[in-house]
Amino acid sequence: MFYIRIFQAKIKNIIIYTIKLCIFIINKIINKKTQNNILPSYSPSTIKKSNYMDNKITRLFNIQYPIVQAGMIWCSGWELAAAVSNAGGLGIIGSGSMYPDVLKEHIQKCKKATSKPFGVNVPMLYPDIDKHMDIIISEGVKIVFTSAGNPKTWTQKLKDHGITVVHVISNSKFAIKAEEAGVDAIVAEGFEAGGHNGREETTTLCLIPLIKQCVTIPVIAAGGIGTGRGMLAVMALGADGVQIGSRFVASDESSANIKFKDKIITSNDGDTLLSLKKLTPVRLLKNNFFDQVQQAESNCASSEELTKLLGRGRAKKGMFEGDIDEGELEIGQVAALIKEIKPAHAIVEEIIAEYKLAKEELNKSTW
Amino acid sequence: MFYIRIFQAKIKNIIIYTIKLCIFIINKIINKKTQNNILPSYSPSTIKKSNYMDNKITRLFNIQYPIVQAGMIWCSGWELAAAVSNAGGLGIIGSGSMYPDVLKEHIQKCKKATSKPFGVNVPMLYPDIDKHMDIIISEGVKIVFTSAGNPKTWTQKLKDHGITVVHVISNSKFAIKAEEAGVDAIVAEGFEAGGHNGREETTTLCLIPLIKQCVTIPVIAAGGIGTGRGMLAVMALGADGVQIGSRFVASDESSANIKFKDKIITSNDGDTLLSLKKLTPVRLLKNNFFDQVQQAESNCASSEELTKLLGRGRAKKGMFEGDIDEGELEIGQVAALIKEIKPAHAIVEEIIAEYKLAKEELNKSTW
């Protein structure tokens, strides 16, 4: 009986040990599964990681979010560019409405206002483009967005100075040309965008997949994007980043006149239309000037008559000086979704928060 | 020693049993985790579940995928509608190009060709609309899509006969009107869509969020969607389903002429344009007829002159009879992405597969 008791005790110990071992193994399995699936956001390192959106565009520009603020005439000076860059996006000074010395001043102020990367947009139709490019190079600007012209003209010279070059296009033909010219990325801008626009009228929803098919460099989607949902939609289409204009026009730091900003936040769907197609197609917010253009066009006005009607300084009059009746008000269709003037950093944060929320929502469905 | 041996044997048995029990428990845990996360497609019950996309639209129509095939003139008869319904989407007979007796025949053939739900699209401008509606009701059609007219006119009568009613809109004003009229869902159709189109020219990317803001009923996105990526993009915007036209025109079962189908699959970006805005805006594939219209418009042709130029039967001539030079070819911008004529079920499967792949890709980023 003594032996029996010893063996009973041993059996008990062995069983307890085996059960403990099994519980240990089970716990290990459960923990591993849980770590893989539920808890990544709880560790400080992953929190930091979740605020940096690592992709081709953030790496190209060395920024936090793949959000580029469009360089726009009369709206995007150094204050807006610096504010967007400080918020983790890429701010862009719109040089199209600046004399060379004004551009120089804006670049210098922007450098003081942010230690983060920022860029300059150069419409290549600008008469003083040589002077602009000289200033950009001598001031050590690191990123240039070119538009409205042949991407071959300036790309190599800018790249020789170590500048990252991005070209804006609205069709696959120019996307291929831009890649051949050696640009680092493309902005593919759809029909819904504000201001000057392509003649093909291809919308962002159709344009992004078309452009992704014909180039290998990163593609930044533009036109119709002003929210996190819009950003998620174009990322789903294959875009590597977004360029946002209209939403930033209605920001505190934009140099647009407050009357123009107020008109944007009270506009509805159908309040913009692509206009002046006989000259250069441009998306305008409807006002008295727009009505005059429509009237002239329905009366079959010639290019000369339209040029005369447009006159000089219409865009400055409307967007910068605030003559919202007689000025030219360039804005995108997405204006109808903008309901509040906010600081640029709040806009960036709102877009990122909505992007994440929309992605979570999309993932709620099991399919 | 005898007792010791017996106890040794018992210990051995007990240990083996305990280990087996633990292995059983471990397996149960692993299986449960795996079923939740990785392997749903392996069991027959989960295969069925994973192929059913449960949402507002699939529940409303009792279909497998939230994909509606647009009812189109000259392209979507009973063969296409039945094929799409049999593939798990919602097929729609386009009654706009049918005489009442032809519509009746198509409905009867569709009922024989599929046991699944299908619908009929009725443009309300159609002169024989009363006869069409009588046939729809008497033939026991369960789903009707109305377009091009006041949603109040027919909704109540159709609903009194137990018919699910969906109305097609292109701006928020009519979205609200449609909801007030009591329709069950809305198709929100953007500027990039083929055929007749809204005057606001709002693109799908901007339209869907605008419409989601002003109605509570389900919203089906249309215009520019022909791929799984496009479907994912509009679902990210908040759409509950998609309506796809152009992609199904280039299907085996579409009644479009093979010459029209061939022209679609060889078209590129910029090959369609919204035209005839003085009459009713319609998106056309560029051809000789289109050039004549553009020429007339640039010469400031009156509505009467354009109506005369359009003549009668242009759409039939082009889309059904295959006169691709002189006919009216209605197609969406997404045509540039269509490169192959396929059976409707292959199109549906391809869209679903690409949707899932694009969603996986989107989820590869941690943000």
Side-chain angles (χ1 to χ4, degrees), chain A residues 122-355:
Chain A
V122 187
M124 290 196 279
L125 294 170
Y126 191 83
D128 267 337
I129 186 163
D130 289 287
K131 286 184 190 165
H132 271 191
M133 290 301 193
D134 284 347
I135 288 165
I136 284 166
I137 292 165
S138 65
E139 287 295 327
V141 171
K142 294 281 170 232
I143 301 163
V144 169
F145 280 48
T146 54
S147 59
N150 188 338
K152 274 189 187 168
T153 320
W154 284 97
T155 301
Q156 196 51 54
K157 185 171 181 185
L158 293 170
K159 288 191 75 71
D160 288 346
H161 285 87
I163 296 172
T164 300
V165 182
V166 180
H167 190 65
V168 185
I169 57 91
S170 60
N171 62 41
S172 52
K173 188 178 149 196
F174 266 84
I176 293 164
K177 273 195 180 185
E179 183 165 45
E180 283 170 357
V183 304
D184 299 282
I186 278 170
V187 173
E189 190 176 67
F191 169 81
E192 46 273 80
H196 291 99
N197 210 297
R199 291 199 182 275
E200 298 80 11
E201 306 191 357
T202 310
T203 73
T204 304
L205 182 60
C206 292
L207 186 65
I208 303 306
L210 284 164
I211 299 305
K212 286 291 286 186
Q213 280 179 358
C214 60
V215 297
T216 56
I217 51 176
V219 174
I220 301 164
I225 310 153
T227 64
R229 276 193 184 279
M231 178 171 163
L232 184 64
V234 296
M235 299 301 261
L237 291 173
D240 303 293
V242 293
Q243 181 177 282
I244 294 175
S246 304
R247 175 61 274 205
F248 286 117
V249 174
S251 70
D252 289 340
E253 294 89 347
S254 135
S255 45
N257 191 286
I258 186 67
K259 286 183 192 164
F260 179 34
K261 293 182 192 178
D262 283 338
K263 195 164 166 71
I264 292 165
I265 62 170
T266 51
S267 71
N268 295 310
D269 61 324
D271 280 355
T272 76
L273 220 53
L274 199 66
S275 196
L276 289 165
K277 292 187 193 179
K278 269 193 186 167
L279 306 179
T280 307
V282 59
R283 180 168 297 282
L284 298 179
L285 198 51
K286 291 176 179 173
N287 65 357
N288 192 34
F289 166 65
F290 171 88
D291 291 343
Q292 289 170 50
V293 171
Q294 264 216 331
Q295 188 62 42
E297 282 175 342
S298 74
N299 289 336
C300 221
S302 66
S303 304
E304 293 71 30
E305 285 168 315
L306 288 171
T307 305
K308 198 180 162 194
L309 173 61
L310 180 60
R312 286 183 64 83
R314 278 272 183 192
K316 183 181 184 187
K317 196 179 190 176
M319 299 195 277
F320 193 66
E321 294 170 356
D323 186 341
I324 54 167
D325 294 323
E326 297 302 328
E328 188 184 355
L329 305 177
E330 299 183 6
I331 203 78
Q333 278 188 354
V334 81
L337 283 170
I338 302 168
K339 294 294 160 214
E340 211 182 332
I341 301 162
K342 286 185 182 186
H345 77 87
I347 292 171
V348 172
E349 283 161 21
E350 199 175 74
I351 290 168
I352 295 300
E354 194 187 289
Y355 175 91

Side-chain angles (χ1 to χ4, degrees), chain A residues 30-44 46:
Chain A
I30 290 172
N31 281 340
K32 200 180 168 192
K33 289 275 166 195
T34 316
Q35 273 171 16
N36 284 345
N37 296 305
I38 303 161
L39 291 174
S41 59
Y42 285 77
S43 101
T46 49

Side-chain angles (χ1 to χ4, degrees), chain B residues 157-323:
Chain B
K157 186 172 180 185
L158 293 169
K159 288 191 75 70
D160 288 345
H161 286 86
I163 296 172
T164 300
V165 183
V166 181
H167 189 65
V168 185
I169 57 91
S170 60
N171 61 41
S172 52
K173 188 179 148 195
F174 266 82
I176 294 164
K177 273 194 180 183
E179 183 165 45
E180 283 170 359
V183 304
D184 299 284
I186 280 171
V187 173
E189 190 176 66
F191 169 81
E192 45 273 80
H196 290 101
N197 210 297
R199 291 196 183 276
E200 297 80 10
E201 305 191 358
T202 309
T203 73
T204 304
L205 182 60
C206 292
L207 186 64
I208 303 306
L210 283 165
I211 300 305
K212 286 291 286 186
Q213 280 179 357
C214 61
V215 297
T216 57
I217 51 176
V219 174
I220 300 164
I225 309 154
T227 65
R229 276 193 184 279
M231 179 172 162
L232 183 64
V234 296
M235 299 301 261
L237 290 174
D240 303 293
V242 294
Q243 181 177 283
I244 293 175
S246 304
R247 174 62 273 206
F248 286 116
V249 173
S251 70
D252 289 341
E253 295 88 348
S254 135
S255 46
N257 191 286
I258 185 67
K259 287 182 193 164
F260 178 34
K261 292 181 193 179
D262 283 338
K263 195 163 165 71
I264 292 166
I265 62 168
T266 52
S267 71
N268 294 310
D269 59 325
D271 280 355
T272 76
L273 220 52
L274 200 66
S275 197
L276 289 165
K277 292 187 193 180
K278 269 193 187 168
L279 307 178
T280 307
V282 59
R283 180 170 297 283
L284 297 180
L285 199 51
K286 291 175 178 174
N287 65 356
N288 193 34
F289 167 64
F290 171 89
D291 292 343
Q292 289 170 50
V293 171
Q294 263 216 330
Q295 189 63 42
E297 283 176 342
S298 73
N299 290 336
C300 220
S302 66
S303 305
E304 294 70 29
E305 286 168 315
L306 289 171
T307 305
K308 198 180 163 194
L309 173 62
L310 179 60
R312 286 183 64 84
R314 278 270 182 193
K316 185 182 183 186
K317 195 179 192 177
M319 299 195 277
F320 193 67
E321 294 169 355
D323 186 343

Side-chain angles (χ1 to χ4, degrees), chain A residues 22 192 201 203 359 367, chain B residues 22 192 201 203 333 359 367:
Chain A
C22 292
E192 46 273 80
E201 306 191 357
T203 73
K359 199 175 165 193
W367 38 271
Chain B
C22 291
E192 45 273 80
E201 305 191 358
T203 73
Q333 279 189 353
K359 199 174 163 192
W367 36 273

